Structures are given as structure tokens and as C-alpha cells.
Amino acid sequence: MTSDVLSGSVKLTADESGRPAVLLPVKDTDKFYDVTKKVSKMTNNNIVIWLDFDPLRDSYATEKSQCGNLSMSRCLSSATVSEAFSSDVIIQGNFTIDEAKDLVELINSGAMPTKLNEISSKTVDASFGNDAIEKTLLAGIVGLSIVVLLIITIYRFSGLIASINLIIYATLCFLVYYLIDGVLTLPGIAAMILGLGVAVDANVISFERIKDELKVGKNLKEAFKLGNKMSFSSILDANITTIIIAIILFIFGQSSIKGYATMLLITVILTVLIMVFVVRWVLSYFVKIGSFEGKENWFVGLNKKKISGHEVIPFKKIDFVKNKFFIISIIIVVIGGGFALWGRANLGVDFSGGTNIDFIVDESINVSDIEKDLRDKNYTISKIESYDNTESILIKEILNKDDIEKLDNYFTETYNVDTNFNVVSNIVQQQLIKNGLLSLCLAFIGIIIYVTLRFKYTYAVSGIVALIHDVLIVGAVFVIFNIEISSIFIAAILTIIGYSINDTIVTFDRVRENCAKIKGKVTDEVLTNIVNDSVRLTLFRTLLTTITTIIPVICLILIGSFEIINFNIALLVGFIAGVYSSIYISNQLWLWLEKKSNKKIKKEKKTKDNEPDELIIKGING
């Protein structure tokens, strides 16, 4: 038994002939002497090292030929004992160096003073998984096709080049994931599809800045150069914040969440490489040779009528500062909070513990019969949900491997249905909640630090408040409509945070740029105009990138797998809340903070001006 071996002490050595061998220190040499003396006198005088001996499964009389083959038994080594030993043992044989190393690692792992208990498991039927993947990939193809058509329609030739690179980008995402030997999960595919919208975002920012430069009368070459230069900082800031989110998800996420985080990191890196550098390099070639000189409409979709020779600010009639839309947010959050206190929060198995069983059913199957069978088997049903052709039943009991196998066989034989089991113990439940909250806190801290370094603390505070608003809105909507909240909900929230801060940063970038143009006294009116104009100038880009990101998400909701539908609903609500907060909350809060800061500076300056240059005291200096 490996429990009789000193923990972690087994080492690689060599026998008298110099061949690879294994040094095996034992815990109790006296006991070992007595055992080997007894074994040496037996007919079957073998001493066997077991990784995990089970008398119901394994045989004491194990042949040497079976040892080392863990598919046949848990036997690691079987050696003939001809005499008693009172010292450490050297296992020798016709080992290669790799075989000896493997044996060392196996014995050491089995000798660890730890017994593993199953605390969580997920069992997915093959047809269940295939169906989910096929639906998700179909949703991705449909979403990509719609986005490509939209981009080409709006940006003409530039949109065509961006779309070609978008397809290359999607292909490279799969290739990189394959090369790193990643396990492609449904959330991973969702991350790649979501990345399509993020990738388009980089091009939309650049194309809109190019159009802005063309509108003020610059030629195509100059506008192309300046537009790309002005947009790069926004793209960089937006993608770095997403990287922060992805790293946090990877560190604290569980199983499929790590896959999602990995794919998210890949999409961000490829977005910068393909959708920024490659697209710009290709377009710069056509700009240099003058193929589209005087044909701005064909190059980037800009009508000549919009070229005025000076900056034209759109949406002038809309005042984005003087609004009361935040009242709607307050109402939604208050209602959601009330529902949550009332106990309406629909917590999934990840946060409630137990076993979630999904069934793919058809019209010939009566779901109530399945429910009755579970109750007859003394299982406590906590929740029943239906989606498309899938029934999801949550039971309070935490099933082990044998229980799952018995239930799976029973439902297959009785109803001929495919099942999917997800087991979460109380330990895992607590860990998921802890990791989820920690992930959110670290994401906020990371964004605060980065935005403060890149901009100013007033931008960071305003951005974080807007992000908290987005999180609360998504949570409130899920509680109000009784939508299940699972561990992947945390991944959705963090994705929303990363995407929402992108929108906010793009507008902040324009605010910062317009602040740098101020000449003269900075008044409250000047600051108000800066915020209004910055939002107006970035509004089309903000709406368009949100639409191009929402399109794949809607396709995932309508066509994709039910397993990630709640994830995609969270993204849809979060993206809408994000675009709303970046327009109506973050900038207005920044304006309020800047006005307060200005008043404080003026007050301090006024106090300083009223102070005498020198304190005059009679009899000393007066």
C-alpha cells in the first residue's frame, strides 16, 4: 500500500548495473521486516504496491504483468520477495528512464497524506454535447454573417477589408486554441462569438475618426493617418481593461469559466493584431497609391455632402446632461432589491448546492412521470424549469458517481432520454460565491487603478459608479423575471464590466481631448458643453458597436444552446445598460465631480488671495 510509504520521499536511483531504479523509503522498518519475512515464505511471494487498493475490485494475488497498467488494476509494482528486509527498498527491473520517473511520480502521489473526496462533478451525454455545440456554432455563423453585411453596408471598401479580416480572426481564434491544446467549451465558443463584436469595435472607432478628419476638409491620406493615430489610445485602453477582466476570470474561475477567460484573452490579442494592425496595413496600401482619392464614400462610407471644412457636431438638439433618465435605473434597482429580499432570487445549483439534471425530451415523454420517479426514489425536487426541448430539474441531494450512473441508466432504459448531471456540494457552492465576489472586487480595483493612471481619479470614480449601475441593473432584471443565476452569471457580469468600460473610455477619451483644447477660464458652462459635445461626437460609434456586439448575442439566445442562454441574456441586458450608462451616467457624474473640484480650487484661491503677504504686529514690524 502506498500509505506505508514516506510521503513524497520516493526517488529515482540506479541499480548495481547502472540501470534506472526506484528508491522506496518505508515508514516502519520493523513492520516492513515482519511483513517481508512472512511474504518470503509464501508460495505466491510477491509484495505489491497499490495506488488505491479496493478489496472488492482488486486481487491480492496480482501478477507482475498486470502491474503498472492502471486500466487493469491499481497496482503500481509487484516484486518477488525471497528474504526479509529491514531497510528501505530499491525497485529494479528493465525500466527505461521515463518508466522509472513515472513510477516515482505515481507512488509519491499515492503516498500523499490526503484522501480525495468528490465534491463536484459534471456528466454530459454525448448527444447532449453535440447538440449544444452545433446550435452554438450555427448561432456564431449567423451572427458573423449579419455583422459582416452591416459593416460592409456602412463602411463600403473599408468594411469589406475589415470583414475579410474578421473571418480570418475567427479562424485564427480556433487555430490558437487548438495549438495550445485548449478544451473548447460552450462558454469558450460564446467568448469567441462575443469577440466578433469587440473586434468590430476596434475598426468602427478607427473608421469614425477617419470620417471626422475627412469632414473638416483633410485629404484622404492625412485623414487616414490622423484618424488611426487618434483612435489608437481608445482601442488600447479598451482592450487592456478587457485583459484585466480575462486574467481575473482565469485565476478565480472554475472549469468552463477558465476556458471562457482563455478564449477572451486570445480574442483580445488577435483583435489588436488582426483587426488593428493588419486592417490598417492593407487599407494604407490603397490610400498610398491613391485608389480612393476623391472617392471617400466608396472608401469609408462618407457622403460628400457631409464634408463641410469644419467640425460639425451631430445631435445638437439633444441635451445629454440635463436628463432624468437615472430615475428609471433607480426604480429598476429598487424593485429588483425588493424582489431579492422577498426571496425571488432564482439561484442555480452553483449557488444553492445539490444536483441539476437536464433531460432532452420530446412529445412522447410525460415530464411529470420523470418528476414522480425522482420523488419515489426519495429525491427532493427544489426547482423545475423548461426550455425548448429540455427539462431541467434541481434536486437538493448531492449525488455521487454511482448514484449518477444508476439514475442515468434508469432514465435511458425507462424513457430513452439523454441526461446531463451537474453536481455541486456545499463546499464548492461556498467557494464559487467567494470567488465570484472576489473577482468582482478585483475587477473594480484593477479598472480604478488603470483608469486613474491613464486619465484622472474623477474619470475612474465616474466609470466605476457606471459599472456598478450596470451590474445592479442586470441583477435586478434577473431577480424580477426569475431568471436563474449560476456561476457563469459571474463571467457574464465581468464581461459586461469589461465591455461597458470600453464604451465609457471612448467617450472619456474624447472628453479629455476636448478639455485639452480649452483656452481661457474653465467655467461650469464650458465643462457642460464639453460633456455634451463629447457624447454627441461618439454617440454613433457607441450605438453601432453595441449593435454589432448585440447581434451575435441575440443569435446565441435564439439559436444557441439552452446551457448558456442565461449567460447571453445577462450579456444582452448588460450591454444595453452599459451603453445607457456610458451616455447618461458616467459623463454626468464626471461633470459633477469636476464642477465640485473647480469650486474647491476657486475657494482655496480666494482664501489665499485674502491673506496678507506679511503678518504685521505692532512693536515688532509695524
Side-chain angles (χ1 to χ4, degrees):
M1 297 283 290
T2 52
S3 58
D4 294 317
V5 179
L6 285 172
S7 177
S9 63
V10 182
K11 298 177 182 178
L12 186 67
T13 186
D15 61 17
E16 295 175 355
S17 304
R19 291 176 299 184
V22 176
L23 175 64
L24 187 71
V26 294
K27 287 182 180 178
D28 189 336
T29 54
D30 292 334
K31 178 183 176 182
F32 189 66
Y33 177 83
D34 293 337
V35 170
T36 52
K37 183 178 180 180
K38 184 178 178 181
V39 171
S40 66
K41 295 176 181 179
M42 293 179 178
T43 305
N44 184 12
N45 59 337
N46 288 344
I47 188 165
V48 181
I49 300 175
W50 294 97
L51 181 64
D52 184 17
F53 181 77
D54 184 345
L56 298 177
R57 177 192 60 204
D58 303 310
S59 169
Y60 286 100
T62 300
E63 297 179 8
K64 292 182 183 180
S65 60
Q66 288 183 302
C67 283
N69 186 347
L70 298 184
S71 64
M72 296 176 65
S73 73
R74 312 308 292 174
C75 168
L76 299 181
S77 176
S78 178
T80 302
V81 180
S82 56
E83 59 182 326
F85 294 95
S86 60
S87 61
D88 295 339
V89 178
I90 291 180
I91 304 174
Q92 56 190 23
N94 295 320
F95 295 127
T96 64
I97 187 71
D98 290 334
E99 288 172 342
K101 284 180 179 178
D102 289 343
L103 184 56
V104 167
E105 290 175 3
L106 282 168
I107 296 175
N108 275 331
S109 66
M112 293 296 286
T114 304
K115 182 171 177 60
L116 299 179
N117 294 314
E118 184 178 301
I119 58 174
S120 178
S121 66
K122 189 173 179 69
T123 306
V124 182
D125 186 88
S127 59
F128 221 108
N130 290 335
D131 181 65
I133 290 173
E134 285 173 7
K135 286 183 177 180
T136 305
L137 287 175
L138 177 61
I141 292 169
V142 173
L144 175 61
S145 302
I146 296 172
V147 170
V148 164
L149 288 173
L150 182 64
I151 294 302
I152 292 175
T153 302
I154 295 173
Y155 294 111
R156 308 297 173 86
F157 181 74
S158 294
L160 175 64
I161 297 300
S163 297
I164 292 170
N165 281 276
L166 196 62
I167 296 168
I168 294 171
Y169 153 85
T171 305
L172 283 176
C173 280
F174 279 116
L175 178 61
V176 171
Y177 214 65
Y178 171 78
L179 291 175
I180 65 173
D181 201 24
V183 178
L184 194 60
T185 60
L186 287 177
I189 296 173
M192 195 210 72
I193 295 169
L194 174 65
L196 298 176
V198 177
V200 170
D201 183 35
N203 287 137
V204 170
I205 294 172
S206 296
F207 296 161
E208 285 302 310
R209 292 308 293 250
I210 292 169
K211 287 168 74 172
D212 288 344
E213 298 302 324
L214 287 170
K215 287 175 185 177
V216 299
K218 292 185 173 65
N219 62 51
L220 185 56
K221 288 182 180 178
E222 193 175 0
F224 183 80
K225 182 179 178 181
L226 284 172
N228 285 324
K229 181 181 178 182
M230 299 295 287
S231 64
F232 187 73
S233 63
S234 296
I235 295 169
L236 183 66
D237 290 332
N239 281 284
I240 287 177
T241 52
T242 306
I243 287 174
I244 291 171
I245 300 296
I247 290 172
I248 291 169
L249 272 173
F250 186 83
I251 293 171
F252 295 100
Q254 303 288 328
S255 61
S256 60
I257 305 299
K258 285 188 182 291
Y260 174 80
T262 304
M263 183 58 85
L264 197 60
L265 277 170
I266 292 170
T267 59
V268 171
I269 294 167
L270 289 179
T271 292
V272 176
L273 293 177
I274 305 297
M275 302 308 293
V276 177
F277 292 112
V278 175
V279 171
R280 288 183 181 183
W281 177 74
V282 173
L283 290 176
S284 66
Y285 170 77
F286 291 96
V287 171
K288 285 178 183 177
I289 63 175
S291 300
F292 291 91
E293 199 65 50
K295 303 174 184 176
E296 290 79 7
N297 190 35
W298 283 106
F299 181 74
V300 75
L302 178 66
N303 195 309
K304 286 187 177 181
K305 293 179 181 179
K306 293 185 178 181
I307 300 175
S308 59
H310 57 86
E311 186 177 50
V312 176
I313 298 175
F315 308 105
K316 268 288 189 181
K317 293 181 180 180
I318 304 175
D319 192 330
F320 292 99
V321 173
K322 293 180 181 179
N323 72 83
K324 303 295 181 183
F325 288 129
F326 65 87
I327 294 174
I328 299 172
S329 299
I330 293 172
I331 293 171
I332 293 172
V333 171
V334 169
I335 293 173
F339 274 54
L341 291 173
W342 187 29
R344 274 283 301 252
N346 183 358
L347 298 179
V349 65
D350 298 322
F351 295 127
S352 64
T355 302
N356 199 78
I357 312 171
D358 298 323
F359 304 88
I360 294 181
V361 298
D362 55 36
E363 295 177 356
S364 64
I365 297 171
N366 190 342
V367 179
S368 60
D369 291 338
I370 295 176
E371 296 169 21
K372 184 178 180 299
D373 284 348
L374 285 170
R375 289 192 175 97
D376 289 344
K377 293 178 182 296
N378 297 320
Y379 291 120
T380 307
I381 296 176
S382 303
K383 183 173 58 178
I384 300 171
E385 292 186 328
S386 300
Y387 174 75
D388 198 10
N389 64 337
T390 304
E391 287 290 325
S392 182
I393 300 176
L394 175 63
I395 61 175
K396 289 185 178 180
E397 288 74 18
I398 298 169
L399 304 184
N400 58 33
K401 184 180 178 182
D402 293 334
D403 294 331
I404 290 171
E405 190 174 343
K406 287 176 185 177
L407 267 183
D408 188 31
N409 290 335
Y410 173 79
F411 287 123
T412 302
E413 292 169 4
T414 308
Y415 300 101
N416 192 30
V417 294
D418 295 322
T419 54
N420 172 25
F421 291 85
N422 187 15
V423 184
V424 176
S425 72
N426 293 329
I427 296 172
V428 175
Q429 168 206 350
Q430 293 166 11
Q431 191 64 37
L432 285 171
I433 294 171
K434 177 184 173 183
N435 285 352
L437 293 174
L438 185 59
S439 298
L440 285 174
C441 292
L442 289 175
F444 285 137
I445 292 169
I447 289 171
I448 286 173
I449 293 171
Y450 182 77
V451 176
T452 301
L453 291 174
R454 286 286 291 156
F455 292 85
K456 187 182 173 183
Y457 82 93
T458 51
Y459 292 93
V461 172
S462 306
I464 288 299
V465 171
L467 295 183
I468 293 172
H469 160 273
D470 300 340
V471 172
L472 291 176
I473 291 292
V474 176
V477 169
F478 265 59
V479 173
I480 292 169
F481 292 97
N482 200 32
I483 304 171
E484 185 180 87
I485 298 172
S486 61
S487 62
I488 203 169
F489 177 80
I490 300 298
I493 291 295
L494 288 170
T495 304
I496 291 162
I497 289 171
Y499 193 81
S500 181
I501 197 67
N502 290 2
D503 279 343
T504 304
I505 281 176
V506 171
T507 311
F508 278 171
D509 199 50
R510 191 61 72 99
V511 169
R512 180 176 59 179
E513 184 182 320
N514 288 335
C515 283
K517 296 177 182 177
I518 297 175
K519 293 179 180 178
K521 192 177 181 181
V522 181
T523 63
D524 288 354
E525 185 181 356
V526 170
L527 289 172
T528 300
N529 289 334
I530 284 174
V531 169
N532 259 325
D533 289 346
S534 298
V535 174
R536 288 165 182 157
L537 287 166
T538 57
L539 183 61
F540 179 76
R541 170 265 157 202
T542 301
L543 294 176
L544 180 58
T545 53
T546 302
I547 289 168
T548 56
T549 309
I550 283 177
I551 286 171
V553 173
I554 292 175
C555 290
L556 282 167
I557 292 172
L558 297 177
I559 307 172
S561 168
F562 87 97
E563 285 198 325
I564 53 173
I565 187 170
N566 292 348
F567 170 79
N568 292 305
I569 290 173
L571 292 184
L572 179 62
V573 175
F575 290 161
I576 294 171
V579 70
Y580 160 79
S581 66
S582 67
I583 295 171
Y584 287 111
I585 292 179
S586 58
N587 296 288
Q588 287 74 359
L589 183 56
W590 175 87
L591 178 61
W592 181 75
L593 290 172
E594 285 294 320
K595 284 180 178 179
K596 286 201 71 174
S597 179
N598 266 357
K599 286 177 183 178
K600 186 178 179 181
I601 291 170
K602 287 176 182 177
K603 189 176 179 180
E604 289 175 352
K605 185 178 179 182
K606 187 177 180 181
T607 303
K608 189 175 181 181
D609 289 342
N610 290 335
E611 289 178 357
D613 291 336
E614 184 180 1
L615 185 63
I616 299 173
I617 301 174
K618 190 175 180 180
I620 298 177
N621 61 350

